[in-house]
């Protein structure tokens, strides 16, 4: 099976612009979670989508949004980019969602640089 | 205080040494994950455990739910084990992973 893919892998944007990142999960996986990784804050949960519904959202401003399509592919969008949004954005897919925890499979990440 | 604390932050070992990385957490959890991140960013899930011990090759992960503590052991370490190891806990009530700050492991030949 192909792994989780993310596009683009690298991106440079200017403050004030918006950006859309894409994540294709492993075939059959219906849950996609997004994470932000920065040197200062480490890895932080952004949101999770399951069956096209946002199941949970981390502590991020409304500029960060996402969606999931019927084929489980997911996109996240960041509007009005700030310098602090420069980070590695990772998505992870899993077969299911739930309260007991499931194994997650991570994509290679998209490295976003905001200038 | 962070909900997930890892130690040490940095660890340098000689090839062949036995390595232990520790993770303590302060919240109730459903599961604990050990992740490996190589330069370039890709993350690999090593273990997910909710009790006891798991072993995969030279890697062993243990968890003590009562003490809220987990350890990752690497036996007969090798330079290819050099990576950042991250502990993450899944809280059923929060329904999200909370991550430790990671341990940078360097294994010298």
């Amino acid at each position: 099976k192909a792994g989780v893919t993310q596009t683009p892998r690298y991106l440079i944007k200017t403050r004030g612009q918006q950006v859309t990142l894409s994540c294709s999960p492993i075939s059959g996986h219906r849950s996609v979670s997004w994470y932000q990784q920065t040197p200062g804050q480490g890895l932080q949960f952004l949101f999770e989508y399951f069956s096209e519904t946002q199941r949970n959202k981390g502590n991020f401003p409304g500029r960060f949004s996402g969606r999931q399509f019927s084929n489980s592919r997911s996109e996240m969008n960041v509007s009005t980019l700030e310098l602090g949004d420069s980070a590695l954005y990772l998505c992870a897919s899993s077969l299911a969602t739930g309260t007991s925890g499931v194994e997650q499979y991570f994509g290679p990440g998209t490295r976003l640089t905001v200038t | 205080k962070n909900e997930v604390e890892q130690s040490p932050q940095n660890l340098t070992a000689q090839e062949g040494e036995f390595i232990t990385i520790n993770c303590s957490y302060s919240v109730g959890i459903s599961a604990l994950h050990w992740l490996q991140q190589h330069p370039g960013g890709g993350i690999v899930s090593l273990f997910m455990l909710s009790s006891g011990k798991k072993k995969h090759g030279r890697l062993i992960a243990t968890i003590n739910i009562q003490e809220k503590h987990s350890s990752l052991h690497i036996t007969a370490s090798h330079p290819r084990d050099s990576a950042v190891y991250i502990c993450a806990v899944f809280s059923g009530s929060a329904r999200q992973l909370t991550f430790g700050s990671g341990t940078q492991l360097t294994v010298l030949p």
Side-chain angles (χ1 to χ4, degrees):
Chain A
K1 269 188 185 177
V4 179
T5 58
Q6 291 187 246
T7 56
R9 292 292 311 279
Y10 302 91
L11 204 49
I12 299 175
K13 289 285 189 180
T14 304
R15 270 180 303 175
Q17 288 186 315
Q18 75 164 18
V19 67
T20 299
L21 312 181
S22 180
C23 172
S24 293
I26 290 172
S27 178
H29 285 195
R30 296 168 62 193
S31 172
V32 174
S33 297
W34 287 90
Y35 302 94
Q36 182 197 63
Q37 185 176 35
T38 60
Q41 298 296 319
L43 272 161
Q44 296 182 90
F45 170 77
L46 277 158
F47 26 65
E48 181 201 6
Y49 286 87
F50 181 80
S51 292
E52 303 177 64
T53 302
Q54 187 180 89
R55 288 304 181 99
N56 198 8
K57 190 177 193 310
N59 189 23
F60 280 82
R63 300 185 296 108
F64 291 81
S65 63
R67 59 178 174 168
Q68 187 179 34
F69 302 94
S70 58
N71 62 357
S72 294
R73 189 177 70 85
S74 178
E75 289 180 347
M76 67 162 281
N77 184 277
V78 188
S79 62
T80 319
L81 284 166
E82 300 177 0
L83 294 179
D85 298 333
S86 294
L88 180 68
Y89 290 88
L90 292 148
C91 79
S93 75
S94 57
L95 272 171
T97 185
T99 57
S100 61
V102 291
E103 186 162 9
Q104 299 201 1
Y105 298 81
F106 286 82
T110 294
R111 189 164 294 280
L112 171 65
T113 302
V114 182
T115 61
Chain B
K1 187 180 189 298
N2 292 334
E3 293 181 345
V4 184
E5 299 273 1
Q6 279 186 245
S7 63
Q9 282 190 304
N10 293 283
L11 181 56
T12 300
Q14 290 294 135
E15 184 173 356
E17 284 186 4
F18 181 85
I19 288 161
T20 296
I21 299 171
N22 296 299
C23 176
S24 296
Y25 53 92
S26 57
V27 296
I29 69 168
S30 303
L32 182 142
H33 297 247
W34 281 103
L35 309 170
Q36 180 192 57
Q37 186 172 33
H38 280 283
I43 290 179
V44 174
S45 176
L46 298 175
F47 296 102
M48 184 182 77
L49 64 165
S50 55
S51 65
K53 175 179 172 178
K54 286 190 176 181
K55 184 176 188 288
H56 181 68
R58 295 180 294 105
L59 301 178
I60 303 166
T62 65
I63 188 168
N64 185 317
I65 297 294
Q66 288 72 31
E67 295 186 3
K68 295 187 175 177
H69 181 268
S70 176
S71 293
L72 176 68
H73 306 286
I74 304 175
T75 62
S77 60
H78 190 276
R80 65 175 175 266
D81 296 327
S82 298
V84 176
Y85 292 83
I86 301 167
C87 168
V89 299
F90 185 85
S91 162
S93 57
R95 296 175 65 102
Q96 62 180 257
L97 282 175
T98 302
F99 299 85
S101 57
T103 295
Q104 173 70 63
L105 171 65
T106 303
V107 182
L108 302 174

